[in-house]
Amino acid sequence: MILADGISLLCNDMQVDPQDIVMLVLSWHMKAATMCEFSKQEFIGGLQSLGIDSLEKLREKLPFMRSEMKDEHKFREIYNFAFSWAKEKGQKSLALDTAIGMWQLLFAEKEWPLVEHWCQFLQARHNKAISRDTWSQLLEFARNVDPALSNYDAEGAWPYLIDEFVEYLTENSIVQIGQMSDWSQKC
Amino acid sequence: MSAPKKKNFQIEAFKHRVVVDPKYAEKTWKILEHAIHEIYNHNASGLSFEELYRNAYNMVLHKFGEKLYSGLVSTMTAHLKEIAKHIESTQGGLFLEELNRIWAEHNKALQMIRDILMYMDRTFIPSTHKTPVHELGLNLWRDNIIHSSKIHKRLQDTLLELVQHERTGEVINRGLMRNVIQMLMDLGSSVYQEDFEKPFLDVSADFYRLESQQYIECCDCGDYLKKAEKRLIEEIERVSHYLDTKSEPKLTNVVEKEMIESHMHRLVHMENSGLVNMIVNDKYEDLGRMYNLFRRVSTGLALIRDVMTSHIREIGKQLVTDPEKLKDPVDFVQRLLDEKDKHDKIISSAFNNDKTFQNALNSSFEFFINLNPRSPEFISLFVDDKLRKGLKGVTEEDVEIILDKVMMLFRYLQEKDVFEKYYKQHLAKRLLSGKTVSDDAERSLIVKLKTECGYQFTSKLEGMFTDMKTSQDTMQGFHAAAGADLAEGPSLTVQVLTTGSWPTQSVNTCNLPSEILGVCDRFKTYYLGTHTGRRLSWQTNMGTADLKATFGKGQKHELNVSTYQMCILMLFNKADRMSYKEIEQATEIPASDLKRCLQSLACVKGKNVLRKEPMSKDIAEDDAFYFNDKFSSKFYKVKIGTVVAQKESEPEKQETRQRVEEDRKPQIEAAIVRIMKSRRVLDHNNIVAEVTKQLQSRFLPNPVVIKKRIESLIEREFLERDKTDRKLYRYLA
């Protein structure tokens, strides 16, 4: 079992920051159940599937793993994996702070111009844990609804938190529906 | 038997003497022609019909039918041409009479000619497919007289002129008119239609277009309608007097179009006299007239209905949103009922009890009653008022009528669960204070609610009645068991309420005076002795007490007060002055209730058994209270009501609202699960629609709330989102 200390040793050896998104990708390959923990089985299984048997090879694999984030399909899998990986054991939902941290990390890889507003909105209006449904639907929202919300459908069965987010955006005139504001063009 | 050759007999046909005279036909025709002339000249008396008939018969028999027929045509035509000239020459007013007279003569002549030529009519004409004599006569009349260039137009004009005269109020010879029109009809329906009806309808349209234009400029709506109705009746009479009955729908159509359809919008919206004005002033007669006239045109009723609907919605909206009118809930509901009665009356007496109008009225009420979120509370308060005092001395039937009206308003409510909540609260107060006037009326309303909303809706209300009954039995048992021990000290009546059935708030028990506490404990012991496993807690906020008090000059009174007030007053057995703080400490009554109690004990004139310093309307925390030994009252029994907030205060309202919302959550979830269990897979919008449908008999669920409940069910793994179509939900068994 590799626990938090072991992870930071591993990171040192790999010469990556433990906060680096690549650690999430690595965990995904290892099918790790929880953040900052690898069981022996997960660790070995993951390395085997990646075809790694030395630290050298692991280091060499890093750029590849980073590139995997650019893959639409893999990103989705990693994104959805991140929820159960990041949440506390035994909990059904993801603590808000963790969720926000994860979102910032994930959407840094795959740009979504509204991510900062989303996080601000959650802190201001919601301040509760995030359910799996909201987590996974947010990615769909980020992918399918353009930042100007021109194709947002209020009847579109989005989780209510997302509906409220849209309301928040329009209320605070951050986005005028259907119009690309200067702000969203800059991004 | 031998068969001798028989001689065949032959019967020869009887041979007519062959007419050899080559001029026979010519001669015979001359006789007949002469006869026709004589008939037209009124000299028929000298003729022998038998002879003439025989001549005509013989002519046909000897194959001179053709000659006879053509001779008839030309003779008659010649006569008619003469007649035409005569008619053309008649002067002015006599024209029609002359035409009519000669028409009658022609008919008579035609009759005679037909009789003479009957044999031709029977044999020659059918075999050669010619026009029979009578019809021929009519056709010739039509072609030579009616369609003669000088008569045709003159006849038409004269007829139309006469109608015009009659329309402007002159008396005309209707008999003559009828005869002439009848002539046109006899000449065939196309003659009537082409030569009279069509131009007549055109003229009528022009006439009414002009007249309605004048009327609409100078009359108000009611007058206009009266005039229109009068015109319509006149035209219908006209048809019955001298026109073809088939013209009636066409003619009324013209009047309807010109007088009603073209102006109906203007009429309905006329300021100070239009539909709204009529409704406001209950002008049943005018409204009835409008209904009956407008019913005749295709969109007329829809127009009335729409204007009525928007009017009712408008006044209703004003009614339910006017803050002045919301001050008194009973009055508010009474106004609603009055409004409903008023419009019911209009619909029944003026609008023929039209179903579509009733529906429009209902939907309007439903619309505006629900504009005010307090409507359910107010309706319940109205019932409360009626059942507390309003129904005293009212017969059973009248009670039923009032309750039925209340039920009607109830049906309009979207948030029936809110009503239930308030009804429960108010019923509880009524039952516990013994204030209800009629047990029958109470039960009758419950039955009505049950039929309307089902068993679930009223089960708790019925539970409350059961509790009351059981409590009576329990008290009897208690007194029987305790017996003489209770003779000393205060007598106690306990109502044991089942938690859940009653709208009990978890209020801390206040400190009861020791005298009371003793009896209470006895009861507790008794009750728990007979019912093991139960828990009793005292709801001191709901009780009442009767106190005997002696004041300064020795006058005695019985004070009817609430339990809280009793606790306060008992303190003054030991002290004459107590500060607010002291009272609060001694009784531990919640501050808001305490203030209310003290207010009603010290600040109400005629019931001020306490005296307050400083004297003011409101209770402050540093006030001091004295026993008021100068208290006096005309009555022995003094009822000191708490200054109850009849209507809920703002925070109470919020609280009730919240409770309602909480109660709705499981109902919505249950509905979602029920639906998903049977449908397995369903998209979001359909779930919302179905849930709304299932619950609308109780309340109108908010789609956002439904969405939240769906998400909660997803989280609890009753449902999941479809992997590919995110709008689709699946039921997880």
Side-chain angles (χ1 to χ4, degrees):
Chain A
M1 196 77 159
I2 305 177
L3 295 178
D5 292 346
I7 299 275
S8 52
L9 276 179
L10 180 68
C11 287
N12 271 344
D13 290 344
M14 285 160 57
Q15 294 163 1
V16 294
D17 184 355
Q19 297 286 316
D20 195 321
I21 189 86
V22 82
M23 287 307 289
L24 172 64
V25 184
L26 184 63
S27 304
W28 171 63
H29 279 294
M30 293 179 172
K31 301 188 176 64
T34 316
M35 194 158 47
C36 296
E37 266 182 42
F38 294 129
S39 72
K40 188 172 178 183
Q41 201 190 351
E42 287 165 356
F43 191 69
I44 293 173
L47 291 183
Q48 264 173 357
S49 70
L50 282 164
I52 292 170
D53 53 12
S54 69
L55 190 59
E56 275 309 304
K57 284 192 181 166
L58 178 55
R59 255 187 237 146
E60 280 166 21
K61 229 11 177 195
L62 288 178
F64 165 72
M65 285 196 270
R66 281 188 211 286
S67 75
E68 281 184 302
M69 294 295 283
K70 304 289 175 207
D71 182 300
E72 190 84 353
H73 184 69
K74 282 182 182 166
F75 183 82
R76 186 198 296 268
E77 272 190 36
I78 294 167
Y79 178 92
N80 284 327
F81 163 80
F83 182 83
S84 16
W85 181 68
K87 80 176 165 57
E88 297 221 4
K89 266 184 202 163
Q91 293 282 328
K92 275 200 166 162
S93 42
L94 183 58
L96 186 62
D97 290 342
T98 324
I100 287 177
M102 291 303 297
W103 270 320
Q104 279 163 342
L105 214 55
L106 281 160
F107 285 117
E109 290 302 311
K110 190 187 175 299
E111 269 179 18
W112 181 43
L114 296 175
V115 67
E116 280 311 314
H117 287 286
W118 170 248
C119 296
Q120 278 167 21
F121 156 75
L122 289 177
Q123 279 160 336
R125 300 277 182 93
H126 184 57
N127 223 357
K128 275 187 223 140
I130 298 298
S131 74
R132 178 186 289 276
D133 186 52
T134 308
W135 176 268
S136 62
Q137 289 304 304
L138 186 75
L139 179 64
E140 303 302 319
F141 183 80
R143 282 193 173 186
N144 296 322
V145 177
D146 73 58
L149 305 178
S150 63
N151 57 349
Y152 164 76
D153 175 10
E155 313 270 285
W158 296 110
Y160 77 94
L161 210 51
I162 293 182
D163 287 337
E164 283 178 6
F165 174 55
V166 171
E167 238 170 71
Y168 166 88
L169 290 177
T170 42
E171 252 172 46
N172 296 315
S173 345
I174 296 164
V175 170
Q176 277 155 342
I177 291 190
Q179 286 175 16
M180 293 289 270
S181 65
D182 292 344
W183 174 83
S184 59
Q185 271 164 342
K186 263 181 248 158
C187 293
Chain B
M1 243 218 240
S2 68
K5 197 179 173 192
K6 274 197 179 160
K7 196 177 175 196
N8 278 335
F9 285 100
Q10 213 172 355
I11 298 170
E12 300 255 319
F14 172 77
K15 287 204 172 64
H16 256 286
R17 189 165 42 88
V18 178
V19 185
V20 279
D21 191 351
K23 285 190 179 160
Y24 166 78
E26 198 55 42
K27 269 158 84 188
T28 320
W29 166 243
K30 280 286 174 231
I31 299 170
L32 286 169
E33 188 186 22
H34 173 73
I36 293 172
H37 283 303
E38 291 299 272
I39 288 170
Y40 271 107
N41 294 332
H42 315 291
N43 279 332
S45 53
L47 300 171
S48 158
F49 277 89
E50 193 274 331
E51 185 197 331
L52 292 169
Y53 178 87
R54 187 150 35 79
N55 281 330
Y57 170 85
N58 280 331
M59 273 188 86
V60 174
L61 210 60
H62 295 298
K63 311 276 185 275
F64 295 113
E66 185 58 50
K67 182 177 175 64
L68 182 60
Y69 190 84
S70 59
L72 173 69
V73 172
S74 56
T75 314
M76 210 187 270
T77 310
H79 261 285
L80 288 174
K81 284 208 189 305
E82 280 303 309
I83 291 171
K85 272 191 201 127
H86 168 72
I87 294 174
E88 279 162 21
S89 65
T90 46
Q91 295 299 309
L94 290 176
F95 167 74
L96 221 48
E97 274 174 52
E98 198 58 15
L99 180 70
N100 184 39
R101 187 180 63 78
I102 295 175
W103 161 249
E105 280 176 21
H106 175 70
N107 265 329
K108 215 182 279 167
L110 201 55
Q111 189 78 35
M112 290 185 193
I113 294 167
R114 191 179 62 176
D115 288 348
I116 297 167
L117 303 180
M118 191 171 314
Y119 189 72
M120 178 179 79
D121 235 1
R122 286 222 195 117
T123 56
F124 175 73
I125 287 174
S127 64
T128 50
H129 306 292
K130 290 190 189 302
T131 319
V133 175
H134 181 75
E135 208 185 321
L136 175 74
L138 295 182
N139 288 350
L140 290 175
W141 173 270
R142 179 190 65 201
D143 298 339
N144 292 298
I145 312 282
I146 303 304
H147 286 175
S148 114
S149 56
K150 285 185 185 147
I151 296 176
H152 186 230
K153 185 84 180 73
R154 188 166 165 198
L155 173 62
Q156 208 178 77
D157 289 350
T158 315
L159 290 175
L160 296 179
E161 209 173 293
L162 281 171
V163 175
Q164 170 76 13
H165 282 317
E166 197 181 41
R167 277 186 182 142
T168 49
E170 288 174 38
V171 177
I172 62 162
N173 184 347
R174 282 180 167 172
L176 179 62
M177 196 71 182
R178 183 175 55 237
N179 288 343
V180 175
I181 300 280
Q182 186 60 47
M183 170 187 80
L184 295 175
M185 291 193 284
D186 288 347
L187 295 176
S189 57
S190 68
V191 177
Y192 171 75
Q193 281 164 11
E194 287 304 314
D195 295 335
F196 175 71
E197 194 185 50
K198 237 172 91 181
F200 169 68
L201 291 178
D202 290 345
V203 166
S204 304
D206 290 342
F207 177 79
Y208 285 117
R209 192 174 308 126
L210 201 71
E211 182 171 274
S212 63
Q213 201 57 49
Q214 286 166 356
Y215 285 166
I216 197 97
E217 295 302 340
C218 60
C219 297
D220 69 15
C221 182
D223 283 346
Y224 182 96
L225 292 175
K226 268 182 212 144
K227 292 193 157 101
E229 188 186 40
K230 186 164 153 265
R231 280 306 194 187
L232 203 59
I233 294 170
E234 276 173 17
E235 292 303 328
I236 292 170
E237 275 178 0
R238 177 158 299 124
V239 172
S240 73
H241 280 310
Y242 53 75
L243 299 181
D244 183 5
T245 44
K246 288 197 204 74
S247 298
E248 188 182 307
K250 299 180 198 165
L251 182 57
T252 49
N253 217 346
V254 167
V255 184
E256 285 154 11
K257 188 172 168 296
E258 297 303 336
M259 295 210 80
I260 301 168
E261 204 169 1
S262 316
H263 299 290
M264 61 181 183
H265 287 274
R266 187 156 165 197
L267 283 168
V268 163
H269 294 294
M270 258 190 193
E271 232 171 291
N272 302 327
S273 72
L275 177 60
V276 169
N277 181 277
M278 290 177 185
I279 292 177
V280 170
N281 295 315
D282 295 325
K283 294 192 169 162
Y284 301 126
E285 215 176 293
D286 285 343
L287 287 166
R289 188 171 293 119
M290 181 180 273
Y291 178 85
N292 285 322
L293 289 175
F294 279 40
R295 182 163 60 170
R296 296 172 156 271
V297 300
S298 58
T299 55
L301 288 191
L303 176 69
I304 299 185
R305 204 166 48 233
D306 292 347
V307 173
M308 180 189 84
T309 307
S310 59
H311 165 68
I312 298 176
R313 285 185 179 212
E314 196 43 50
I315 51 166
K317 202 170 156 186
Q318 280 170 14
L319 187 66
V320 299
T321 48
D322 184 349
E324 265 309 301
K325 290 180 177 136
L326 294 183
K327 281 188 179 150
D328 182 355
V330 178
D331 185 55
F332 171 83
V333 175
Q334 190 57 53
R335 276 171 202 271
L336 288 180
L337 289 177
D338 291 348
E339 214 51 59
K340 180 72 168 49
D341 279 348
K342 175 189 166 84
H343 291 101
D344 272 341
K345 183 118 187 282
I346 288 176
I347 289 177
S348 69
S349 51
F351 294 159
N352 195 26
N353 255 334
D354 192 316
K355 267 268 172 296
T356 61
F357 278 65
Q358 286 170 353
N359 292 344
L361 177 65
N362 287 339
S363 76
S364 310
F365 265 77
E366 200 176 319
F367 164 77
F368 69 73
I369 282 188
N370 290 301
L371 286 181
N372 186 337
R374 307 202 70 169
S375 292
E377 181 190 352
F378 286 7
I379 293 173
S380 175
L381 278 171
F382 178 80
V383 180
D384 188 60
D385 179 72
K386 290 289 170 221
L387 291 174
R388 268 173 195 273
K389 54 189 179 214
L391 294 177
K392 255 180 216 161
V394 178
T395 63
E396 230 166 271
E397 291 89 65
D398 290 347
V399 173
E400 282 296 300
I401 290 173
I402 292 177
L403 295 184
D404 280 335
K405 283 183 177 168
V406 169
M407 284 309 293
M408 174 196 69
L409 292 181
F410 170 76
R411 253 169 246 138
Y412 295 138
L413 291 177
Q414 273 166 1
E415 299 189 301
K416 296 193 171 60
D417 57 341
V418 179
F419 176 84
E420 187 202 356
K421 206 129 249 137
Y422 284 108
Y423 192 76
K424 215 163 120 183
Q425 279 176 23
H426 298 146
L427 176 64
K429 279 187 197 155
R430 279 203 300 280
L431 289 177
L432 293 180
S433 59
K435 287 288 166 46
T436 177
V437 175
S438 152
D439 222 36
D440 289 344
E442 291 280 5
R443 285 182 186 277
S444 164
L445 191 64
I446 302 264
V447 170
K448 286 182 204 302
L449 287 169
K450 198 170 175 177
T451 22
E452 194 70 29
C453 295
Y455 163 78
Q456 259 192 324
F457 196 84
T458 53
S459 61
K460 289 190 175 162
L461 302 177
E462 283 170 307
M464 291 162 72
F465 281 99
T466 319
D467 279 353
M468 293 305 287
K469 185 84 191 59
T470 332
S471 296
Q472 266 181 17
D473 298 344
T474 312
M475 282 324 289
Q476 271 176 9
F478 173 59
H479 284 297
D485 293 358
L486 287 173
E488 302 286 311
S491 62
L492 177 75
T493 310
V494 180
Q495 275 129 0
V496 185
L497 315 180
T498 315
T499 321
S501 294
W502 296 74
T504 42
Q505 296 119 319
S506 51
V507 181
N508 290 335
T509 311
C510 74
N511 289 341
L512 291 166
S514 54
E515 297 92 326
I516 308 291
L517 215 51
V519 204
C520 286
D521 286 342
R522 285 186 79 122
F523 177 78
K524 207 165 174 174
T525 324
Y526 165 79
Y527 187 80
L528 295 179
T530 48
H531 303 85
T532 41
R534 293 199 184 173
R535 257 181 47 215
L536 274 185
S537 64
W538 299 101
Q539 299 278 325
T540 42
N541 55 329
M542 292 156 103
T544 58
D546 290 332
L547 296 178
K548 288 200 172 93
T550 315
F551 291 91
K553 290 173 192 157
Q555 74 271 38
K556 288 190 166 137
H557 287 286
E558 192 175 302
L559 306 177
N560 179 263
V561 295
S562 72
T563 305
Y564 280 156
Q565 287 166 334
M566 179 263 300
C567 295
I568 297 168
L569 289 177
M570 293 293 272
L571 296 175
F572 288 89
N573 275 340
K574 300 190 183 86
D576 277 344
R577 177 193 181 282
M578 292 199 84
S579 72
Y580 177 87
K581 285 280 169 213
E582 284 168 334
I583 296 175
E584 191 179 29
Q585 258 179 11
T587 59
E588 289 183 11
I589 296 171
S592 64
D593 288 322
L594 180 59
K595 280 184 184 165
R596 253 192 245 160
C597 290
L598 285 170
Q599 203 171 15
S600 49
L601 288 171
C603 303
V604 181
K605 221 175 157 197
K607 300 187 173 174
N608 48 338
V609 290
L610 293 185
R611 192 158 52 79
K612 183 172 91 75
E613 253 172 34
M615 299 274 276
S616 65
K617 278 275 167 220
D618 292 310
I619 307 294
E621 305 226 337
D622 45 9
D623 286 349
F625 296 87
Y626 299 86
F627 175 67
N628 182 13
D629 53 6
K630 292 196 187 72
F631 172 79
S632 72
S633 172
K634 284 183 280 185
F635 306 104
Y636 173 67
K637 282 191 178 182
V638 180
K639 188 181 155 9
I640 300 177
T642 326
V643 182
V644 276
Q646 268 286 344
K647 229 168 30 164
E648 281 197 322
S649 62
E650 203 53 33
E652 278 175 321
K653 200 180 83 191
Q654 295 294 343
E655 201 193 309
T656 313
R657 188 81 242 175
Q658 219 178 349
R659 275 215 306 279
V660 167
E661 292 297 340
E662 278 309 313
D663 285 358
R664 283 179 182 181
K665 281 185 185 171
Q667 295 186 50
I668 295 175
E669 284 186 358
I672 297 171
V673 171
R674 264 199 306 276
I675 292 161
M676 290 307 288
K677 204 165 178 177
S678 63
R679 307 288 283 267
R680 314 308 289 187
V681 181
L682 200 62
D683 69 287
H684 180 81
N685 290 343
N686 270 318
I687 294 187
V688 173
E690 293 248 344
V691 169
T692 312
K693 208 171 108 201
Q694 276 205 5
L695 294 174
Q696 69 187 0
S697 67
R698 291 180 56 72
F699 60 93
L700 209 61
N702 181 344
V704 177
V705 178
I706 299 179
K707 188 177 245 183
K708 285 186 183 172
R709 290 301 100 209
I710 293 177
E711 282 176 47
S712 161
L713 287 168
I714 291 179
E715 220 177 324
R716 284 178 284 155
E717 290 170 2
F718 283 97
L719 307 177
E720 67 171 2
R721 263 185 218 271
D722 189 83
K723 300 272 185 306
T724 48
D725 183 352
R726 40 169 298 280
K727 289 184 190 177
L728 232 48
Y729 302 114
R730 284 175 182 287
Y731 180 71
L732 296 173

